[in-house]
Every structure is written in C-alpha cells, then in structure tokens.
Amino acid sequence: MSTLNLTDIKAVAFDIDGTLYRAWKFNFRMIPYYVRHSIFFLHYGLVRNIMHKSDVTPDFFKVQGSHMAKKLRCSTEEAVARLDRIVYKGFEKTFQKVKPCDGAVELIKKLKENGYKIALLSDFPPEQKGDIWGIREMCDVMLGSEEAGALKPSSTPFLKMAEKLELKPEQILYVGNSHKYDVTGSKNVGMKSAWFVKPSARWFKKKSSKADIIFWDYSQLNDIFFNNNYNNSEKTSD
C-alpha cells in the first residue's frame, strides 16, 4: 500500500475519447453509422492496429492512407479522402451530442484555477471535437498524436506534449482510459499516470503495476488533488 506524491506535478494532461466521456455513449449513437460503413471500419480497425505499432513518420496520414488503400483496393489519394470524410469529418456531428463525464470539466477548470497547466493528447485530432465542452479554451497545449507522427503508446507524442508544455515528463500527470496506450505510453517516458476505468472496477478490484492512480469517478481525482485523499491500495502487480 503506497501513498502518491503529487508535489512535483505542474501539468495534468488528458486523453479525450473514453476518458473525458464514456466511449459507450459515443459508440451507441454511432451504431447506424458503423453499420452503414461496416466494411470500411473493419479495415480501418486493422490499419489502426498497424499504425499503433509503426515507427514515427512525418507523413502519418499518407502512410495510414497507403495501408488503407491496400485494404480497400483503391488509390492512396482516394483512401485518404475517404478517411477524412468518414472518420475525421464523419465523427464530428455525433461528438457534439455526447456529454462529458460528471465532474470532468469542473475538475479541469479547478486545476487551471489552481495553477496547473492543462493539456490534451489524443489519438484523434482534438480540433475534431470543437470546443470540447469549453475545455479547449483552458488548454495550454492540444496535440493529436497523428500530428506528432505516431500513435500512442509511442513515446513521441508524449515527449512532444511535454516539450510544448515546457516541462519535464515527470512533472506531468497523464489521464487516460487505455492501459495499453495511455498508461504504458506515459509511464515509458517518466510521467505519472492516472488510469480511468469502468465503474465496475470497484467490484472487480482493477489492478495495475504501472498506473499511479486508478479511478472511476472524477470526484476521486478531485479528492486526490484538493483533499489530499488517496491511498493507492489498488496498485498491485498485474
């Protein structure tokens, strides 16, 4: 049983999808859209798996389009255009209808008011989400990992974010819902990591040997920062 020390933390960074809102709420609304483009999304899932494992490239969208073109049996230009239309622009309208997790926006506002820098690092362009329930105006840095040239858990987007924040990685707490991408990626560069899990985790005692914080409600994260109330009893070996 260990107590977390947040004394050196100067910035709190957040993933967006599945972290600032519950992914199931978005996916439920997207079911008809996914069905309509089912073949496309089947291939897209395979391509994203490839891109998660790929080396850093300054031509991320072209490389992703090239992989997609092979799956769809079309030109790279056409694949890039379809990705833009179906994914990057196609998700925008639905996102505007999804509400943030209770307490998420309020916590970010409180962190900002108390002198913490705020950042967003997502595997999709943050600009795709509009003003992100007003969070965008509070951000010191917003970065899409694609823009950095590699998807999480690559170290590149995390280090690029730290550079833009003008902070050392160990001065940043990264909050994300994916252990494989968010927790592993942030810890690999020396950041503190908060793993946002499903509410059912309270019953199944979710464990991690990497995450510094495990939480399922933003009131818990608020208590950690402002009520000095956290004992990481869930942090044990995987």
Side-chain angles (χ1 to χ4, degrees):
M1 191 176 293
S2 60
T3 302
L4 182 70
N5 186 353
L6 292 173
T7 305
D8 295 330
I9 297 299
K10 306 298 181 185
V12 184
F14 297 83
D15 171 50
I16 300 175
D17 303 294
T19 299
L20 293 180
Y21 69 91
R22 291 293 184 183
W24 72 265
K25 294 183 178 181
F26 179 85
N27 290 328
F28 180 77
R29 289 179 178 273
M30 288 291 289
I31 289 174
Y33 190 78
Y34 289 148
V35 171
R36 188 159 72 249
H37 299 285
S38 57
I39 300 301
F40 176 91
F41 281 111
L42 175 63
H43 293 313
Y44 179 65
L46 296 173
V47 168
R48 289 295 275 197
N49 284 336
I50 293 172
M51 297 306 295
H52 274 294
K53 301 173 184 177
S54 297
D55 294 332
V56 181
T57 172
D59 298 313
F60 180 92
F61 295 102
K62 184 176 181 181
V63 173
Q64 177 178 251
S66 177
H67 286 299
M68 199 68 184
K70 294 175 183 177
K71 301 290 185 182
L72 299 175
R73 298 183 181 181
C74 64
S75 68
T76 298
E77 292 73 19
E78 182 180 346
V80 169
R82 289 178 68 178
L83 283 163
D84 185 61
R85 176 173 56 86
I86 298 174
V87 177
Y88 296 111
K89 289 186 173 64
F91 286 5
E92 289 178 357
K93 186 179 294 185
T94 299
F95 179 80
Q96 294 172 9
K97 300 176 182 177
V98 176
K99 295 182 179 180
C101 293
D102 291 342
V105 175
E106 293 79 5
L107 173 62
I108 290 173
K109 182 178 180 179
K110 193 171 180 180
L111 288 166
K112 186 70 175 178
E113 290 173 346
N114 280 269
Y116 291 95
K117 288 187 175 182
I118 301 297
L120 297 178
L121 173 61
S122 173
D123 274 341
F124 289 94
E127 297 80 7
Q128 182 189 48
K129 275 77 176 181
D131 74 345
I132 319 176
W133 315 289
I135 293 172
R136 184 171 184 170
E137 65 184 22
M138 301 181 226
C139 289
D140 297 275
V141 171
M142 287 202 323
L143 180 65
S145 60
E146 297 167 317
E147 175 190 344
L151 299 180
K152 298 177 287 185
S154 168
S155 297
T156 298
F158 291 99
L159 293 175
K160 186 69 173 178
M161 178 182 67
E163 179 185 342
K164 285 179 173 289
L165 284 168
E166 299 181 340
L167 293 171
K168 298 177 181 178
E170 55 265 31
Q171 294 177 303
I172 302 169
L173 173 71
Y174 188 75
V175 184
N177 70 305
S178 170
H179 197 279
K180 183 178 181 179
Y181 300 135
D182 297 319
V183 175
T184 299
S186 58
K187 292 299 290 184
N188 281 348
V189 300
M191 293 179 182
K192 299 293 186 183
S193 181
W195 186 19
F196 183 49
V197 298
K198 297 177 181 178
S200 59
R202 75 182 76 182
W203 310 117
F204 294 101
K205 298 187 181 298
K206 207 76 172 179
K207 298 176 182 179
S208 170
S209 59
K210 295 181 179 179
D212 298 285
I213 297 169
I214 300 174
F215 75 106
W216 54 84
D217 189 291
Y218 275 90
S219 64
Q220 295 171 293
L221 202 53
N222 179 81
D223 285 346
I224 292 168
F225 275 96
F226 301 110
N227 297 328
N228 194 27
N229 181 23
Y230 184 71
N231 200 305
N232 198 357
S233 58
E234 299 295 336
K235 186 180 184 298
T236 60
S237 299
D238 287 328

